[in-house]
Amino acid sequence: MPELFGHTRAHVGTRHALITPGNHVNSSVPGIAGATAVVVVSPAMGAGVAQVLVTFQSGGSAEIAASDVQTFGYVMGGGGSVSVGEKKRRLGAGGYFFCPAGTGWALAAPKKGTQVTLFQKKYVPLRGKGAPRPILGDQARVKGTPFLGDPAANLQVLLPDEPEFDMAVNLFAYQPGGHLPFVEVHIMEHGLVMLSGEGVYRLEDSWYPVRAGDAIWMAPYCAQWFVAMGKVPARYLYYKDVNRPPL
Ligand code: UGY
Ligand code: MN
């Protein structure tokens, strides 16, 4: 339901942003057809990553040619047939793919209403290392670990932590009351989407109520902290840049 009298929880600042579903406006993205695409995070706001929410109609498709951009995709609901280079698999909710730079990817035959969150980033090669490999996976097959030993905050790491990979994508699940153990301040940037539940996100010196569907951008060194609230676990998917020297 739209918020009244021009009110919104959205905030777009120079170092962090919150975009809620009520703010979404579609844009057209080359290669994506029969679908809506909402670019919730992008270099246009100062980010080094693009985060795009794609909602497919039946008969929709995505066909993205190889370039210097790599793409991670996570199926939030529905499903479709995904190919990354020569690899192909049907992915349902919780399925994900990683397409390295220099390889193309496609999604075909989506169920009506299939939603996919994409994180796209220009690849930064590492001297002496080759390109990362394509991946088709499922969150149900990824073991979670208590974050810094806290069973109320479960972390699943979806991509290999190998030097070839310059991006990570993780899933966090918090029990109600679970929280990040301290206020993080770090060089890595985040793009994030709330998958379920609700809570409060501290971003720099502001505290925001957030819930399923909200997207957040955190610039490098943006102070960040989260506490889950409500009756059900709060879950979010997030991106970070990793494995590259600061200079
Ligand atoms: O991986 C992270 O930096 C993570 N703990 N940050 C976050 O959830 N805001
Ligand atoms: Mn962090």
Side-chain angles (χ1 to χ4, degrees):
M1 195 176 79
E3 288 165 299
L4 297 174
F5 303 114
H7 179 71
T8 179
R9 288 184 298 114
H11 172 90
V12 180
T14 52
R15 310 272 314 139
H16 71 266
L18 166 66
I19 309 275
T20 79
N23 308 119
H24 287 178
V25 175
N26 302 330
S27 53
S28 54
V29 175
I32 297 181
T36 60
V38 182
V39 183
V40 285
V41 173
S42 80
M45 61 173 50
V49 63
Q51 181 176 329
V52 185
L53 175 66
V54 185
T55 306
F56 291 93
Q57 297 141 28
S58 56
S61 63
E63 193 157 351
I64 307 296
S67 72
D68 57 350
V69 170
Q70 54 194 333
T71 300
F72 176 96
Y74 177 84
V75 181
M76 299 167 71
S81 173
V82 174
S83 51
V84 178
E86 302 297 299
K87 288 184 165 209
K88 190 172 183 173
R89 195 186 295 175
R90 186 144 188 104
L91 298 181
Y96 63 89
F97 69 90
F98 171 76
C99 178
T103 302
W105 65 272
L107 188 150
K111 278 191 205 157
K112 186 176 185 295
T114 292
Q115 280 204 313
V116 180
T117 281
L118 304 175
F119 295 112
Q120 297 186 299
K121 174 190 181 295
K122 274 199 176 147
Y123 182 60
V124 179
L126 187 62
R127 191 189 288 257
K129 296 286 172 190
R133 58 202 146 97
I135 290 180
L136 288 165
D138 194 315
Q139 71 157 86
R141 293 170 158 269
V142 179
K143 198 173 165 305
T145 50
F147 185 59
L148 300 179
D150 181 357
N154 191 269
L155 187 70
Q156 287 171 284
V157 176
L158 302 184
L159 289 176
D161 184 13
E162 296 168 4
E164 289 81 2
F165 287 79
D166 73 345
M167 65 189 272
V169 179
N170 303 335
L171 279 166
F172 238 132
Y174 297 81
Q175 295 307 312
H179 56 83
L180 277 175
F182 58 90
V183 180
E184 295 182 1
V185 180
H186 52 62
I187 189 171
M188 297 84 80
E189 176 182 31
H190 289 319
L192 180 155
V193 59
M194 293 290 300
L195 299 175
S196 60
E198 59 191 42
V200 174
Y201 231 109
R202 176 191 173 155
L203 302 168
E204 297 180 283
D205 295 331
S206 302
W207 279 254
Y208 299 89
V210 295
R211 63 175 179 233
D214 290 348
I216 294 173
W217 168 60
M218 297 172 232
Y221 297 108
C222 169
Q224 57 201 255
W225 180 82
F226 176 73
V227 61
M229 297 178 67
K231 307 275 189 220
V232 297
R235 296 170 57 246
Y236 59 73
L237 175 79
Y238 70 102
Y239 151 94
K240 65 177 170 181
D241 50 317
V242 293
N243 291 333
R244 293 297 177 266
L247 284 178

